Amino acid sequence: MTSPALARRLGLTDAVVIGLAAMLGAGVFGVWAPAAQAAGAGLLMGLVVAGAVAWANATSTARLAAAHPVAGGVYAYGRAEVGPWWGFVAGWSFVVGKTASCAAMALTFAAYAAPSAWQRPVAVGAVLLLVAVDLLGVTRTARVARVLVVVVLAALATVVAAGVGVATPAGLPPVADVLAAGPLGVLQAAGLLFFAFAGYARVATLGEEVRDPARTIPRAVAVALVTVLVVYAVLGAVVLHALGADALAASRAPLADVVAAAGWDAAAPVVRVGAAAGSLGALLALLAGVGRTTLAMAREHDLPASLAAVAPGRATPARATVTVGVVVVLLVALLDLRGAIGFSSAGVLLYYAVAHVAVLRGRTWRGAGTGGGTHAPSTWPVRVLPVAGLVGCLLLVATLPPSALVTALGVVVVGVVVRVLLRGRATTP
């Protein structure tokens, strides 16, 4: 029996806001230090690389989402364009990697909002609260995300204003220092920075709930990504200007340190509140996206079919959302997820790699530019960006810590085994 469709209630503004909430999350408050450790003064070069890969990923994702306006993101697109196993690898990578990201966002929120002894209970409470918000319906999710985005942007604007006004700034580094880390350091920084703003796929996972998806999804992805890239470029320049590469690499709270260096002690709570709000915004968007990908996979019997149920009153994937929430609560309560950031990055990059394969091997690009295609406008780049994006994803995965890469590949293998067992004697995948 086919589960009922989700309601199309989101417009362009709502879709953009959900994408912004996913990208302007906890990563923007903490990613600069590890990126500076990897690339030193070449941090901004890493940002350029990460932005280029993200743009290629966004292009392929938007094209696929416009052609297939259903829930599930690249999982659904991979199935439609190149086959069920490709879709499964994408969906499984997304669900597992982003579930770990949910736990990391909850713990980051608690680190800013609560004393150490209360951080895990507060993190669990945050997960339960936002699961409840998601269950109320996608329009309420978008409204809450809009408030959180405004709070985060206010905090980031405070940091920029403070950093520009630092009395004795470290100044931007000379060219020799920028190139000192070499290509590997820049690529490592790019992989870390990619994790911080790889939230634009959240718009695509909501494809079944967006009005006029063929027009809305590509526009929403482009607007959200360009906005975040501009914000990150400004912030990267400011933190280097105010702290210098060495002090930035040693910082535990870079944006708070920028405010302190400017002598804006009264503004420190604003940054703390912004970090907490950003973490909540990212967690809210992640829960919505993972729940809907779980729904799509359950519809195809790649996960238990009971997870495909849609609440009739609210038109939300209630069972999938609750299940994801329970798993996240267990991870928050039981595990130290510091090492999960690298694993999550590996999962996300594998997810986007499948998107590029779907564009290159599927029907979406065929006829583009010739007037013969029905899946995408003729103005889209046909093959350059998908090829570059695929190479970029694989390259950034290769630069991640070996343990993260091995773990990600191991989880993919486990997922394949689970799929085989779930499908049992089914003759058609």
Side-chain angles (χ1 to χ4, degrees):
M1 180 178 179
T2 304
S3 64
L6 302 175
R8 297 194 183 278
R9 295 172 175 168
L10 295 178
L12 176 61
T13 300
D14 291 329
V16 169
V17 167
I18 288 177
L20 289 176
M23 288 183 275
L24 292 175
V28 72
F29 291 89
V31 74
W32 305 107
Q37 290 171 6
L43 178 149
L44 293 180
M45 292 179 62
L47 180 62
V48 171
V49 173
V53 174
W55 184 260
N57 293 349
T59 299
S60 288
T61 303
R63 291 183 64 194
L64 291 165
H68 305 283
V70 297
V74 179
Y75 167 72
Y77 316 150
R79 287 183 61 89
E81 296 287 357
V82 290
W85 279 107
W86 285 96
F88 176 80
V89 170
W92 183 249
S93 298
F94 180 88
V95 167
V96 175
K98 288 305 183 180
T99 299
S101 292
C102 287
M105 293 299 112
L107 290 170
T108 301
F109 161 75
Y112 280 93
S116 57
W118 288 91
Q119 286 179 6
R120 288 191 187 274
V122 168
V124 169
V127 174
L128 295 177
L129 175 62
L130 294 187
V131 166
V133 170
D134 198 15
L135 290 174
L136 290 176
V138 71
T139 53
R140 288 172 174 79
T141 297
R143 290 169 189 166
V144 173
R146 187 175 305 191
V147 174
L148 295 176
V149 166
V150 171
V151 173
V152 172
L153 289 176
L156 298 182
T158 301
V159 172
V160 171
V164 170
V166 171
T168 56
L172 293 178
V175 174
D177 291 346
V178 171
L179 302 176
L184 180 59
V186 170
L187 289 173
Q188 288 175 340
L192 292 168
L193 290 164
F194 182 85
F195 169 80
F197 61 76
Y200 45 85
R202 222 70 68 243
V203 179
T205 61
L206 300 173
E208 196 170 314
E209 295 160 278
V210 172
R211 297 190 297 269
D212 191 10
R215 291 170 56 86
T216 300
I217 290 175
R219 291 180 179 182
V221 169
V223 171
L225 182 58
V226 169
T227 301
V228 169
L229 286 175
V230 171
V231 170
Y232 271 48
V234 172
L235 281 171
V238 166
V239 293
L240 279 176
H241 170 80
L243 302 179
D246 293 339
L248 176 58
S251 174
R252 293 186 177 182
L255 302 192
D257 288 346
V258 169
V259 173
W264 289 27
D265 295 338
V270 175
V271 177
R272 185 174 293 275
V273 170
S279 300
L280 286 180
L283 177 57
L284 178 62
L286 281 166
L287 288 170
V290 175
R292 283 151 179 79
T293 301
T294 301
L295 165 75
M297 295 182 72
R299 284 174 171 173
E300 301 294 341
H301 303 285
D302 285 336
L303 290 175
S306 61
L307 297 178
V310 174
R314 300 289 184 181
T316 58
R319 290 184 184 176
T321 299
V322 170
T323 300
V324 171
V326 169
V327 173
V328 173
V329 165
L330 291 175
L331 292 175
V332 167
L334 300 177
L335 299 178
D336 179 359
L337 293 178
R338 294 177 183 176
I341 291 178
F343 167 71
S344 179
S345 293
V348 173
L349 288 164
L350 288 174
Y351 172 85
Y352 286 118
V354 174
H356 296 304
V357 172
V359 171
L360 291 168
R361 291 190 54 190
R363 297 166 294 164
T364 318
W365 66 270
R366 294 175 187 169
T370 66
T374 59
H375 283 64
S378 61
T379 54
W380 286 98
V382 178
R383 295 177 74 87
V384 175
L385 281 178
V387 170
L390 178 59
V391 172
C393 286
L394 297 179
L395 191 60
L396 293 187
V397 166
T399 65
L400 292 171
S403 59
L405 180 57
V406 170
T407 303
L409 294 177
V411 170
V412 170
V413 171
V414 170
V416 170
V417 173
V418 169
R419 183 176 192 264
V420 171
L421 293 176
L422 281 176
R423 300 192 71 84
R425 299 179 180 178
T427 57
T428 303

